Amino acid sequence: MPVFYGTEVASRLMLGTAQYPSPAVLADAFRRSGAGIATVSVRRESGGERAGGDFRALVQELGVRVLPNTAGCHSVREAVTTAQMARELFGTDWIKLEVIGHADTLQPDPFGLLEAAHILTSEGFRVFPYTTEDVVLADRLLDAGCEVLMPWGAPIGTGLGLTNLYGLRTLRAQFPGVPMVVDAGLGLPSQAAQALEMGYDAVLLNTAVARAGDPAAMAEGFARAVEAGRLAFEADPMEPRDMAAPSTPVIGTAFLS
């Protein structure tokens, strides 16, 4: 199982908690997924509203580790303040750090992300940075004190899957000992399996489950996919090749003239 900041997590599947049709559906999806971590947007769930308190209680009842995030933050100041609020609300120094730089693609702002990561790690936060697959940025985030990287598969909510396989493979190969989670853009269990087959430690998704016709069934599908993908990675799969090779040997077989 993956280990983040010295803590072993029970599953390689991490789920978001937004957009579900009802609290009951959310709870059922988590139950069938076996997810070990639930991400929660602090900006969506205001601590001063009754609904926010009810939601926090629901998340606590799921019995999983909570990873608050700074979703919706477009500046360093917003992200840092939101992280500080999250620590008070949820009693954890874990934070998924998002600093959005582009309104249409929701691509991270690399400069703001790095600055916020420096500030938060200096304050004792365990930062999970939502980043691109950029190797240079990843190296700077590690230097800033991040011990986990969360590169996107595709823009948030698109369901496009792994749109830059070369970049993701390069990032994984460049930092083989760093825990990495493919975060955002996954739409199908097969895409999650592909990420695990490449050696990623876990995947994080929300929309693909929450907006499915049957969220609980889709959650279970993703759970099985990450298990299959990890087994394939650990089995040391064959390398692809251009030429065909017979699976049945022909040496010693009879040929009729």
Side-chain angles (χ1 to χ4, degrees):
M1 288 296 109
V3 176
F4 303 126
Y5 290 103
T7 299
E8 185 175 87
V9 180
S11 170
R12 298 185 184 277
L13 178 61
M14 304 159 65
L15 282 183
T17 53
Q19 306 183 64
Y20 290 85
S22 71
V25 171
L26 183 151
D28 194 27
F30 267 85
R31 180 182 60 81
R32 289 182 60 177
S33 72
I37 292 177
T39 58
V40 180
S41 172
V42 179
R43 290 173 64 89
R44 290 195 188 99
E45 308 304 331
S46 171
E49 297 176 3
R50 182 176 178 182
D54 291 345
F55 181 79
R56 291 197 305 279
L58 172 63
V59 171
Q60 291 171 351
E61 290 173 2
L62 296 175
V64 299
R65 179 100 188 203
V66 174
L67 176 61
N69 67 44
T70 63
C73 293
H74 291 257
S75 71
V76 173
R77 182 178 180 181
E78 277 187 299
V80 170
T81 301
T82 301
Q84 292 166 341
M85 291 172 56
R87 182 154 61 182
E88 293 184 14
L89 286 169
F90 294 100
T92 178
D93 56 6
W94 282 21
I95 190 73
K96 178 191 167 188
L97 177 61
E98 296 184 30
V99 183
I100 301 302
H102 192 273
D104 292 330
T105 64
L106 301 180
Q107 178 170 325
D109 172 0
F111 309 104
L113 180 67
L114 186 57
E115 182 181 347
H118 272 288
I119 294 171
L120 292 175
T121 56
S122 71
E123 294 183 1
F125 281 91
R126 307 296 181 92
V127 178
F128 293 67
Y130 165 62
T131 181
T132 62
E133 64 279 14
D134 187 291
V135 170
V136 177
L137 176 56
D139 194 38
R140 299 293 187 273
L141 289 167
L142 295 173
D143 287 343
C146 299
E147 296 181 15
V148 178
L149 295 174
M150 302 184 77
W152 66 349
I156 295 170
T158 61
L160 292 172
L162 310 182
T163 57
N164 184 359
L165 291 174
Y166 169 80
L168 289 169
R169 288 196 181 102
T170 301
L171 183 65
R172 178 68 281 182
Q174 187 70 28
F175 306 103
V178 176
M180 291 191 193
V181 181
V182 171
D183 175 17
L186 300 181
L188 293 169
S190 57
Q191 297 161 354
Q194 187 177 24
L196 272 293
E197 289 167 3
M198 292 165 58
Y200 280 84
D201 298 278
V203 295
L204 170 57
L205 55 119
N206 189 160
T207 308
V209 168
R211 291 302 189 188
D214 186 340
M218 185 62 78
E220 184 176 338
F222 271 100
R224 296 184 184 187
V226 297
E227 290 181 6
R230 184 64 186 186
L231 281 173
F233 171 73
E234 292 176 347
D236 189 18
M238 64 173 283
E239 292 290 333
R241 53 194 175 199
D242 294 328
M243 299 297 293
S247 57
T248 302
V250 296
I251 297 175
T253 58
F255 289 89
L256 300 177
S257 57

